[in-house]
Amino acid sequence: MRAPHIAAMGSPCIDICQYDEDTGWCLGCGMRKKDKKAWKKDRDRRPEISAALPGRLAALLAAGHRVGGNAKRKKKD
């Protein structure tokens, strides 16, 4: 039986859906396209996917990308 908090876990997707070309990670939430598909179909993988996202977003930020809600904003040159 699945833990109730995992079954009810909402998606980390924030509808930015812009992907880094090198990693395939979304600049908004950190998920890859295949993570988003797995999120919908395989609830047991949700904790694994969620655990990876903060590190991915931190790595994207360190590489100079705007991440999270800031990914929608245009960079000033």
Side-chain angles (χ1 to χ4, degrees):
M1 182 171 194
R2 201 175 287 118
H5 70 282
I6 293 173
M9 189 181 296
S11 174
C13 179
I14 59 170
D15 295 324
I16 300 282
C17 301
Q18 296 174 17
Y19 297 90
D20 175 60
E21 290 179 20
D22 295 329
T23 62
W25 299 337
C26 175
L27 300 176
C29 66
M31 288 197 287
R32 297 170 294 181
K33 289 179 184 177
K34 72 179 192 177
D35 293 331
K36 291 183 182 196
K37 288 179 184 177
W39 191 272
K40 292 177 185 176
K41 294 181 179 185
D42 187 358
R43 291 180 178 226
D44 293 335
R45 288 207 43 224
R46 289 181 178 185
E48 170 193 340
I49 294 167
S50 288
L53 302 181
R56 291 178 183 179
L57 291 172
L60 289 168
L61 188 62
H65 295 284
R66 291 181 180 268
V67 299
N70 290 328
K72 233 177 188 175
R73 297 183 188 163
K74 301 235 183 229
K75 280 189 175 181
K76 293 181 183 178
D77 293 328

